[in-house]
């Protein structure tokens, strides 16, 4: 264990130094402004297209539909510009697909001049269910303001009006709240924006239909989230998270290949670390790029070196990898200080995110730590910085051995927590990804855990991504494909145009936020089927 302790001593000294530097100033002070300037240079132009509605629809309550509601077409939207909205009072439009942008419309005078303002309520929604459940009294655990209902007072007719709020939706209901003159709603359209550009890949023509559908919805999901950063969800949270960025960049490799967007996001995170050098888990762009202070998430920071490594593999841009290496390396060094000598983690005060699920975190944390160590070593080797991580592989081997001794139950073939927490699929996933279990052991563990009724299961597309990843590493291609068809195909079969933030196949109303309309129904971390489909065509496109 000597090397381990030595490394820990070194890590502790480095951290102490970091703290001192922070107290005196700022660890990355010299680079911060330059990094943010590079991020700004990589800011993409948005491609804007005008998307008109495809039909006027009516809501129908249907227990067989997702969340109990569906829309049926009742008229062509062309008729709208001739209909007197003063009499209609309400209309719901279907835009045919998920879009992100600004609504534009005009009030067309049908008779007399407009002699008083018109007040309209616009309600934009991603799913029929979200549009039809009463929102008030508010039950959600996040802000009511995430819901996309806007009451707007209009003072002029016969000219285009562009709503200020950027919205993400497929359906729009417009209600008349006040207005006493005859007018029609004319030229209703959305200025839809994305930075995605052309998709550069194509499926084999004999690919199964369900995979084609899953791939189409994955691409739509990613394109909608690609704005001036990789947003997590264009409805909610509308910001850049490290965990989402990692998965979006992987999916981007096999689709839009907009690597400059990844570069921008890497530089933003680097430029916005705290004085210690720690990265917050998420950031905002407006009015000036700034992190969400207080969201340090250890498992997200540990993914930063992976984003940089994958970016390097995609672009060969060694200069960027060199430039950002210190900040990437620091995230891992910092986290290493939390591995205790008995291989439990002292991360109780840090946020460890793997899933929207109550679960035991010990083994997943060690797996994430080990994965980050090996990715950091690989990154170092690719850019000639091996000497800076000379002890890294040996250290990883020691942690692996210790973690295995503590948590691996040879009899059950499972990674089990030592505090009596229920066995989880997450522990097996991260034991595979962290190289704690061999592919053969991993396969046994994954099969065993998935067969157990009492096991804690993956509860989000984010966790499902890592399940598929672990399965692929264990030679479980067919099971991975079946899981994809079952899970993401399940969303497609329930009418998803874009993949959802959370999906529980047996509970359509499931929400981590106490109220399902708050869920994001176009969520970045759900877009990775396209990554698997193109990375392993022999499995997924067959
Ligand atoms: C939720 C969002 C986001 C995710 C965080 C951890 O708030 O879904 O995408 O990264 O959780």
């Amino acid at each position: 264990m000597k090397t381990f302790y030595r490394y820990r001593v070194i890590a502790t000294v480095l951290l102490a130094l970091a703290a001192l530097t922070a107290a005196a100033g700022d660890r990355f002070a010299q680079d911060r402004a330059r990094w943010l300037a590079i991020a700004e240079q990589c800011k993409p132009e948005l491609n804007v297209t005008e998307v008109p509605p495809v039909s006027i629809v009516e809501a129908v309550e249907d227990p067989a539909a997702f969340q109990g509601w569906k829309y049926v077409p009742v008229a062509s939207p062309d008729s709208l510009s001739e209909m007197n909205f003063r009499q209609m009072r309400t209309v719901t439009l279907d835009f045919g697909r998920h879009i992100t942008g600004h609504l534009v419309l005009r009030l067309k005078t049908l008779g007399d001049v407009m002699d008083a303002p018109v007040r309209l309520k616009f309600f934009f929604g991603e799913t029929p269910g979200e549009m039809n459940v009463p929102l008030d009294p508010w039950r959600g655990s996040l802000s009511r303001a995430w819901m996309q209902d806007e009451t707007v007072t209009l003072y002029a007719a016969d000219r285009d009006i562009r709503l200020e709020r950027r919205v993400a939706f497929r359906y729009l209901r417009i209600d008349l709240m006040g207005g006493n003159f005859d007018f029609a709603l004319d030229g209703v359209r959305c200025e839809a924006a994305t930075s995605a550009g052309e998709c550069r890949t194509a499926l084999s023509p004999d690919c199964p239909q369900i995979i084609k559908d899953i791939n189409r919805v994955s691409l739509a999901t990613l394109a909608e989230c690609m704005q001036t950063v990789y947003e997590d969800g264009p409805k909610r949270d509308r910001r850049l998270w490290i965990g989402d960025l990692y998965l979006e960049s992987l999916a981007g490799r096999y689709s839009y290949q907009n690597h400059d967007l990844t570069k921008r996001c890497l530089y933003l995170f680097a430029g916005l670390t705290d004085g210690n050098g720690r990265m917050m888990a998420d950031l905002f762009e407006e009015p000036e790029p700034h992190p969400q202070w207080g969201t340090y998430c250890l498992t997200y920071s540990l993914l930063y070196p992976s984003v940089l490594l994958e970016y390097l593999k995609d672009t060969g841009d060694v200069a960027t990898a060199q430039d950002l290496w210190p900040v990437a390396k620091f995230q891992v060094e910092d986290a290493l200080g939390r591995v205790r000598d008995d291989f439990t983690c002292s991360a109780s005060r840090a946020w460890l995110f793997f899933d929207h699920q109550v679960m035991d975190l010990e083994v997943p944390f060690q797996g994430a730590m080990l994965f980050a160590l090996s990715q950091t070593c690989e990154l170092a080797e690719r850019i000639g910085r091996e000497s800076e991580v000379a002890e890294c592989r040996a250290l990883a081997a020691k942690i692996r051995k210790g973690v295995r001794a503590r948590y691996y139950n040879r009899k059950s073939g499972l990674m089990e927590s030592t505090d009596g927490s229920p066995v989880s699929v997450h522990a097996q996933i991260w034991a595979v990804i962290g190289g704690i279990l061999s592919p053969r052991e991993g396969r046994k563990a994954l099969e065993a855990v998935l067969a157990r009724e009492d096991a804690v299961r993956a509860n989000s597309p984010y966790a499902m991504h890592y399940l598929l990843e672990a399965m692929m590493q264990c030679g479980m291609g067919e099971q991975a494909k079946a899981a994809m068809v079952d899970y993401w195909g399940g969303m497609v079969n329930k009418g998803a145009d874009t993949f959802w933030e959370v999906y529980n196949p047996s509970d359509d109303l499931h929400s981590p936020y106490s109220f399902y309309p708050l869920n994001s129904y176009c969520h970045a971390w759900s877009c990775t089927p396209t990554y698997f489909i193109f990375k392993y065509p022999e499995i997924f496109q067959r």
Side-chain angles (χ1 to χ4, degrees), residues 232 236-237 241 244 300 351 353 356 501 513 523 525:
D232 61 335
R236 209 219 81 243
D237 303 323
W241 291 85
D244 299 70
Y300 271 20
W351 179 22
F353 183 83
H356 283 302
E501 174 187 16
Y513 316 110
H523 214 68
W525 70 19

Side-chain angles (χ1 to χ4, degrees), residues 26-207:
D26 181 355
R27 186 179 178 86
F28 294 117
Q30 285 117 318
D31 296 304
R32 210 173 274 292
R34 186 177 57 81
W35 284 343
L36 290 174
I38 296 174
E40 192 57 30
Q41 283 157 20
C42 297
K43 190 172 183 173
E45 286 290 322
L46 295 175
N47 309 314
V48 179
T49 47
E50 293 204 336
V51 180
V54 296
S55 50
I56 298 179
V57 291
E58 241 170 50
V60 175
E61 205 163 356
D62 176 359
F66 177 61
Q67 298 179 337
W69 288 91
K70 66 181 181 193
Y71 280 118
V72 291
V74 290
S76 153
D78 300 342
S79 52
L80 200 59
S81 58
E82 302 309 325
M83 291 155 121
N84 188 342
F85 200 65
R86 182 190 191 176
Q87 285 155 9
M88 272 177 89
R89 304 201 69 83
T90 184
V91 69
T92 304
L93 300 169
D94 176 2
F95 282 72
R97 67 174 176 90
H98 191 282
I99 40 186
T100 299
H102 292 268
L103 189 83
V104 180
L105 84 169
R106 58 170 64 204
L107 308 181
K108 182 170 118 184
T109 312
L110 293 180
D112 290 342
V113 291
M114 178 180 189
D115 76 335
V118 166
R119 184 162 294 156
L120 298 175
K121 181 170 168 189
F122 297 88
F123 186 9
F124 301 86
E126 295 180 312
T127 67
E130 162 192 5
M131 300 279 294
N132 287 289
V133 64
L135 298 183
D136 301 303
W138 182 242
R139 287 167 276 161
S141 59
L142 304 179
S143 168
R144 164 74 174 80
W146 283 118
M147 302 314 298
Q148 304 178 108
D149 51 338
E150 298 289 304
T151 299
V152 179
T153 304
L154 305 174
Y155 293 90
D158 301 311
R159 69 149 200 235
D160 278 353
I161 292 162
R162 184 178 188 264
L163 299 201
E164 199 191 337
R165 181 172 181 173
R166 195 204 75 184
V167 281
F169 70 107
R170 171 170 168 176
Y171 305 102
L172 162 63
R173 188 171 68 236
I174 308 176
D175 297 320
L176 181 62
M177 310 299 285
N180 60 355
F181 92 113
D182 294 327
F183 69 95
L185 298 175
D186 192 22
V188 180
R189 61 203 186 271
C190 181
E191 290 178 357
T194 166
S195 60
E198 290 295 307
C199 177
R200 318 250 174 160
T201 49
L203 290 173
S204 108
D206 46 2
C207 171

Side-chain angles (χ1 to χ4, degrees), residues 293-540:
W293 295 115
T295 60
Y296 175 68
C297 171
L298 203 146
T299 48
Y300 271 20
S301 298
L302 284 175
L303 286 175
Y304 185 83
S306 296
V307 185
L308 188 55
L309 172 63
E310 300 299 338
Y311 168 80
L312 175 64
K313 287 190 203 162
D314 282 332
T315 59
D317 180 358
V318 177
T320 293
Q322 290 282 9
D323 199 16
L324 298 177
W325 163 251
V327 75
K329 187 178 75 159
F330 179 77
Q331 304 315 305
V332 181
E333 282 170 354
D334 184 35
L336 261 178
R338 295 181 185 262
V339 179
R340 285 204 194 116
D341 300 345
D342 64 355
F343 301 102
T344 57
C345 71
S346 61
S348 49
R349 272 173 297 139
W351 179 22
L352 302 177
F353 183 83
F354 295 97
D355 195 358
H356 283 302
Q357 179 72 291
V358 179
M359 51 179 267
D360 177 44
L361 296 167
E362 295 256 306
V363 177
F365 164 71
Q366 302 289 352
M369 185 73 247
L370 287 164
F371 176 60
L373 270 177
S374 83
Q375 298 264 288
T376 307
C377 290
E378 189 183 337
L379 179 58
E381 281 154 15
R382 281 176 183 257
I383 60 172
R385 302 270 194 155
E386 299 89 329
S387 60
E388 293 180 47
V389 292
E391 305 206 28
C392 203
R393 294 213 186 268
L395 172 71
K398 293 216 183 281
I399 299 179
R400 237 170 239 132
K401 198 165 155 220
V403 171
R404 212 180 138 87
R406 187 175 178 98
Y407 301 101
Y408 187 46
N409 179 338
R410 285 182 181 281
K411 233 164 111 202
S412 65
L414 291 166
M415 296 299 287
E416 293 174 4
S417 84
T418 47
D419 65 2
S421 312
V423 66
S424 72
V425 73
H426 309 79
Q428 322 314 313
I429 292 171
W430 284 97
V432 170
I433 294 176
I436 300 163
L437 297 179
S438 70
R440 201 173 51 81
E441 292 165 337
R443 179 179 191 134
K444 227 178 113 203
L446 288 169
E447 285 175 350
V449 79
L450 292 171
R452 270 177 65 159
E453 289 286 318
D454 61 341
V456 175
R457 292 183 179 275
N459 201 21
S460 63
Y462 183 73
M464 284 298 292
H465 166 88
Y466 292 103
L467 173 61
L468 263 61
E469 186 70 60
M471 283 176 158
M472 293 312 300
Q473 286 185 27
C474 295
M476 298 169 72
E478 287 311 316
Q479 287 98 320
K481 185 177 175 186
M484 180 190 286
V485 168
D486 185 54
Y487 193 75
W488 279 271
M491 287 189 251
V492 169
N493 292 333
K494 290 181 182 183
D497 309 294
T498 46
F499 286 127
W500 308 328
E501 174 187 16
V502 281
Y503 173 50
N504 177 339
S506 53
D507 180 8
D508 287 352
L509 307 188
H510 175 75
S511 172
Y513 316 110
S514 319
F515 192 36
Y516 66 89
L518 250 177
N519 295 1
S520 155
Y521 291 95
C522 173
H523 214 68
W525 70 19
S526 314
C527 74
T528 58
T530 200
Y531 158 78
F532 293 104
I533 292 168
F534 283 95
K535 184 167 180 190
Y536 307 103
E538 69 290 357
I539 307 266
F540 291 94

